[in-house]
């Protein structure tokens, strides 16, 4: 199947990068997480409950909703923080959240990871000279993030391809079952940095933040 | 056609839609209570959390919703609407947004009710959670308190958007197709809050224009009464939005002078007072004894610790030359009372938006108190596009008129100049204080790019072409240098 790809672009100040990324990534994951599955006999299952939490940003006039899961939040923060550290003060970068399915292959081939949805968030960093500009930036970025959230919601509510609900044996190929309280679709976060000269990608790093154990 | 739908499916679908409607109302109302919402995830299903989401049920809200639905379900032509409005402490009110849960005829026969529809409704609720934090009313609701409260009203039937004013925007939260129709959830929100600001202005005659913005600034401390007076037919249970309402002044909100700068600066004169370094912010009433230029010293003397600085008013950056003068004279240096005229000169140097050119005004300014700080909109700084937008906000004119009138009797004008400046720490920069409104106005009319002006571009193009062979020769000569440079980069 074709992988659905969406690109969002934001321009932020250095100290806003983390919160902006958290806001967008958590908004996406809110829609791409379910409660924990509990399989019963006869192939039926019940689903746990997902709680939500409002998070106010400190450097942006914005509030976003995320899933109430400390584990998930930690994982996302870790990835965002690495991304932020890699970004230079006025560079550009892109962080990608990819949802994938695992397809088991016969030995000796390792499992394939087939993406079905990729969200790329392009970040342009700016340096601001004074507090006045920063204040303006707070509000502008807040508005922009609001627009991005609306974009995300629009895409998700097209209800395009989603992996089929798996049987108990297959659940690890579709969902990340390692968390205690929620169950997002299998995802990975990667990022790329473009240095400020605009030359082609100078570093590409792949980090698998959460993955069910591959054989 | 329900013939394709099994009775069980039909029953399930009706139940889903009913509870979806109730949960939608809960999400919307809870998002407007003014506090952050937090619910816990639970890995073991409790069986009572509809759509696998932990959404609390506030009993009064459920009661109101059920009352409005009166046993019916949202259907074609029968929409469920939640109207959010703002009501001030004086009793004025204004509709802010209307959330509509509608059903249209487009059916999706093949969809599985118990599974796909349910999951999609769950996703739609999550989207609603996200979108309720994004519309302008969210910020207003977070700041509700003793100046205004946010109210809700649920009604069923035809959607009424007339109360939202002109130019309202609509955002669609999402749709879910079902065998009996497509469920649509959307929000129409007001964008035109300007009438509030003009009302506000009539009451208190601020010195500068009101900036209309959607988003509310951080609370300052300017207790101006609001006078909206818009007729609003609604009955809303006031108590339901009680919750934990923080005490906030929302003056800035209601005035819609949603300036980004600290609110006091909006209304403050161009004269602003730096807090004494020792203590906290020292608020200074410029009305105190500032009768004539000569008496400037008197203002300073009583507050010996107060350092008088004339700084740019937030919306009125001065030209750079003036800034330097100001910085020298300002910046925490106490102006000696013994030299009031010089002091006046010193701080008229740093001119804010509404200050006339100092060289012209110093002598004239001495006659009229605050004339030095008069709106400078009339003599706009043609050289500096940053300084003043071409259109002065209309609200300036009454004040300008009063200042430029020959009024030697200044006491009335002094009343207009009561300004209390709040200067929160780190709130603005000395160099270029500017709030969003000014920023926007200025950059609406940027100066023409030199390279775009026609007569020079053609010339330079020709020049460029002519000089190309020459340049190429030079570059070829230096080719080794360039190669070395490239190697260095790699």
């Amino acid at each position: 199947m074709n992988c659905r790809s969406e690109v969002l672009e934001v321009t932020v100040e250095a100290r806003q990068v983390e919160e902006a990324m958290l806001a967008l990534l958590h908004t996406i994951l809110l829609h791409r997480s379910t409660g924990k599955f509990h399989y019963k006999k006869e192939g039926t299952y019940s689903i746990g409950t997902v709680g939500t939490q409002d998070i106010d940003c400190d450097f942006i006039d914005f509030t976003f909703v995320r899933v109430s899961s400390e584990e998930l939040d930690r994982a996302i923060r870790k990835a965002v923080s690495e991304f932020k550290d890699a970004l230079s003060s006025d560079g550009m970068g892109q962080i990608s959240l990819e949802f994938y399915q695992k397809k088991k292959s016969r030995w000796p081939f390792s499992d394939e990871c087939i993406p079905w949805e990729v969200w790329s968030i392009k970040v342009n960093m700016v340096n601001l000279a004074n507090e006045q500009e920063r204040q303006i930036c707070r509000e502008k970025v807040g508005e922009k993030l609001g627009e991005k959230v609306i974009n995300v919601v629009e895409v998700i509510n097209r209800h395009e391809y989603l992996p089929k609900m798996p049987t108990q044996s297959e659940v690890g190929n579709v969902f990340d079952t390692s968390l205690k309280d929620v169950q997002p679709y299998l995802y990975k976060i990667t990022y790329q940095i473009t240095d400020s000269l605009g030359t082609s990608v100078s570093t590409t790093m792949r980090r698998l933040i959460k993955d069910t154990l591959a054989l | 056609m329900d013939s394709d739908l099994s009775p069980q499916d039909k029953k399930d679908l009706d139940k889903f839609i009913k509870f979806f409607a109730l949960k939608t109302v809960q999400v919307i109302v809870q998002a407007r209570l003014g506090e952050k919402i937090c619910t816990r995830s639970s890995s073991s299903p409790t069986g009572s959390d509809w759509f696998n989401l932990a959404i609390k049920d506030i009993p009064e809200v459920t009661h109101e919703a059920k009352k409005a639905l009166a046993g019916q379900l949202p259907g074609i032509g029968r929409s469920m609407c939640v109207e959010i409005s703002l009501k001030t402490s004086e009793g004025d009110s204004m509709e802010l947004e209307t959330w509509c849960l509608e059903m249209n005829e487009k059916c999706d026969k093949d969809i599985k009710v118990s599974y796909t529809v349910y999951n999609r409704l769950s996703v739609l609720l999550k989207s609603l959670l996200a979108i309720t934090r994004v519309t302008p009313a969210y910020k207003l609701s977070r700041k509700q308190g003793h100046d205004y409260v946010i109210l809700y009203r649920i009604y069923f039937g035809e959607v009424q958007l007339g109360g939202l004013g002109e130019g309202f925007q609509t955002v669609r939260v999402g749709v879910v197709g079902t065998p009996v129709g497509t469920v649509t959830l959307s929000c129409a929100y007001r964008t035109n809050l300007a009438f509030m600001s003009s009302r506000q202005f009539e009451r208190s005659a601020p010195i500068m224009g009101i900036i209309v913005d959607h988003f509310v600034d951080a609370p300052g401390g300017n207790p101006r009464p609001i006078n909206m007076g818009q007729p609003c037919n609604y009955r809303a249970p006031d108590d339901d939005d009680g919750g934990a309402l923080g005490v906030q002044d929302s003056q800035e909100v209601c005035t819609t002078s949603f300036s980004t700068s600290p609110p006091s600066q909006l209304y403050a004169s161009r004269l602003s007072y730096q807090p004494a370094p020792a203590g906290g912010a020292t608020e200074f009433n410029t009305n105190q004894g500032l009768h004539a230029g000569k008496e400037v010293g008197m203002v300073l003397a009583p507050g010996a610790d107060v350092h008088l600085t004339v700084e740019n008013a937030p919306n009125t950056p001065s030209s750079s030359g003036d800034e330097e003068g100001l910085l020298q004279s300002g910046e925490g240096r106490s102006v000696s009372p013994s030299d009031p005229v010089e002091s006046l000169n010193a701080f008229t140097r740093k001119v804010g938006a509404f200050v006339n050119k100092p060289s012209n005004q110093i002598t004239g300014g001495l006659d009229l108190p605050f004339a030095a700080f008069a709106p400078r909109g009339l003599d706009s700084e043609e050289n500096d596009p940053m300084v003043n937008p071409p259109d002065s906000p209309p609200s300036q004119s009454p004040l300008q008129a009063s200042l430029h009138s020959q009024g030697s009797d200044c006491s009335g004008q002094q009343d207009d100049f009561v300004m209390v400046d709040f200067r929160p720490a780190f709130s603005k920069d000395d160099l270029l204080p500017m709030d969003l409104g000014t920023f926007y106005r200025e950059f609406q009319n940027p100066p023409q790019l030199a390279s775009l002006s026609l007569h020079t571009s053609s010339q330079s193009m020709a020049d460029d072409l002519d000089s190309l062979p020459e340049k190429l020769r030079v570059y070829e000569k230096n080719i080794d240098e360039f190669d070395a440079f490239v190697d260095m980069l790699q």
Side-chain angles (χ1 to χ4, degrees), chain B residues 198-423:
Chain B
S198 61
R199 287 296 202 146
Q200 148 79 41
F201 166 71
E202 279 157 25
R203 293 282 289 246
S204 53
I207 290 146
M208 39 175 287
I210 304 290
I211 296 115
V212 177
D213 193 349
H214 295 314
F215 293 97
V216 178
D217 189 12
N222 242 350
R224 286 176 197 276
I226 299 165
N227 185 6
M228 294 159 59
Q230 173 164 16
C232 180
N233 306 321
Y234 70 94
R235 48 174 180 84
D238 289 8
D239 40 329
D240 291 55
D241 290 285
L245 302 177
V247 173
Q248 292 279 2
D249 82 276
S250 46
Q251 214 45 48
E252 296 69 34
V253 174
C254 298
T255 61
T256 71
S257 336
F258 300 132
S259 164
T260 58
S261 51
S264 55
Q265 291 179 359
L266 249 191
Y267 306 105
S269 72
R270 277 60 63 184
L271 181 65
S272 60
Y273 296 86
Q274 287 248 345
T282 309
E283 292 161 22
F284 219 95
N285 188 337
T286 62
N287 220 8
Q288 289 175 1
L290 237 178
H291 297 296
K294 292 194 182 72
E295 292 181 272
V296 167
M298 278 175 58
V299 173
L300 303 168
D305 289 336
V306 174
H307 300 260
L308 180 63
T309 325
V310 175
E311 307 225 25
N312 288 330
N315 296 357
T316 62
S318 66
S319 55
S320 49
D322 287 334
E323 273 179 28
E324 280 163 22
L326 175 58
L327 285 173
Q328 286 166 13
S329 68
E331 296 296 19
R333 189 180 61 119
S334 45
V335 185
S336 90
S338 59
D339 206 353
V341 174
E342 270 189 22
S343 312
L344 184 58
N345 291 350
F347 49 67
T348 53
R349 280 190 157 291
K350 185 165 187 176
V351 291
F354 304 105
V355 183
N356 291 320
K357 284 210 162 43
S359 50
N360 299 336
Q361 290 292 325
I362 287 176
T363 47
L366 291 178
D367 294 332
L368 302 170
F370 306 103
F373 313 115
R376 100 208 271 217
L378 299 184
D379 310 270
S380 57
E381 291 64 23
E382 52 280 353
N383 297 327
D384 189 352
M386 292 280 288
V387 169
N388 217 20
D391 328 307
S392 299
S395 55
Q396 281 181 17
S397 30
L399 200 56
Q400 288 170 1
S402 68
L403 284 171
H404 289 279
S405 69
Q406 293 290 318
S408 49
D409 173 58
C410 311
S411 51
Q413 290 162 13
Q414 282 179 9
D415 292 339
D416 292 338
F417 281 98
V418 175
M419 302 147 213
V420 176
D421 181 45
F422 298 120
R423 296 186 46 89

